[in-house]
Amino acid sequence: METYTKEDLTDQAIAALKGKMAYMRIEALEVAVRITDARRRFGHVDVLVQPADGSGEQWVEKHRVKVAN
């Protein structure tokens, strides 16, 4: 389980994730996704992701995605 510092959990840090491109590992695949929303849930950060190509969306814990530079 990923742990976060107080700096990681600020409202500004969480809001800054919105609109960013990221990569998410799904078994042997690494899929490009866009973060469309973010929230704090019981000390965890969740992000709502959509695939860069395709359809659908899903809430996942932030540690499951790598934000692209």
Side-chain angles (χ1 to χ4, degrees):
M1 177 175 7
E2 183 80 13
T3 58
Y4 300 99
T5 66
K6 288 182 181 179
E7 290 79 26
D8 294 331
L9 290 174
T10 66
D11 291 336
Q12 288 177 332
I14 292 170
L17 294 169
K18 296 177 187 178
K20 299 249 178 161
M21 291 300 296
Y23 295 95
M24 182 174 155
R25 183 166 293 284
I26 303 171
E27 295 185 19
L29 302 174
E30 191 167 274
V31 179
V33 296
R34 177 174 303 281
I35 298 172
T36 59
D37 202 358
R39 67 183 180 192
R40 183 185 347 221
R41 180 184 53 84
F42 301 110
H44 297 278
V45 177
D46 293 337
V47 291
L48 183 62
V49 295
Q50 294 179 335
D53 188 21
S55 62
E57 62 183 14
Q58 182 174 348
W59 284 101
V60 298
E61 289 187 356
K62 180 185 174 290
H63 69 87
R64 293 191 54 206
V65 300
K66 290 187 287 185
V67 177
N69 293 332

